[in-house]
Amino acid sequence: MVEEEQKASPGLSQQADEEKALKRKKWLKRAGIAGFLFFLIKGLAWIVVALFAWKGCS
């Protein structure tokens, strides 16, 4: 009986570790997409600011 518990325990721990790794990978992917969109929008906004400044000075 003790041997069965020892055999089952590593499997559960490994499965929990895999679930954590998947959650972490999913979170990092979301953070990466959010970061990319943030900097894309920020860059486009600065281009618009520069165009308005250039048009205003002309």
Side-chain angles (χ1 to χ4, degrees):
M1 180 116 176
V2 174
E3 293 175 5
E4 291 176 10
E5 289 179 22
Q6 289 176 351
K7 289 180 182 177
S9 182
L12 292 176
S13 177
Q14 185 179 7
Q15 186 178 9
D17 289 343
E18 289 175 3
E19 287 179 15
K20 286 181 183 179
L22 287 174
K23 286 183 182 179
R24 186 177 306 121
K25 190 180 281 189
K26 195 175 187 181
W27 184 86
L28 284 172
K29 186 175 181 179
R30 286 183 187 163
I33 292 170
F36 173 77
L37 289 175
F38 171 78
F39 285 108
L40 175 67
I41 293 168
K42 180 180 171 185
L44 293 174
W46 276 110
I47 290 171
V48 169
V49 168
L51 287 174
F52 277 120
W54 182 62
K55 286 280 191 178
C57 292
S58 309

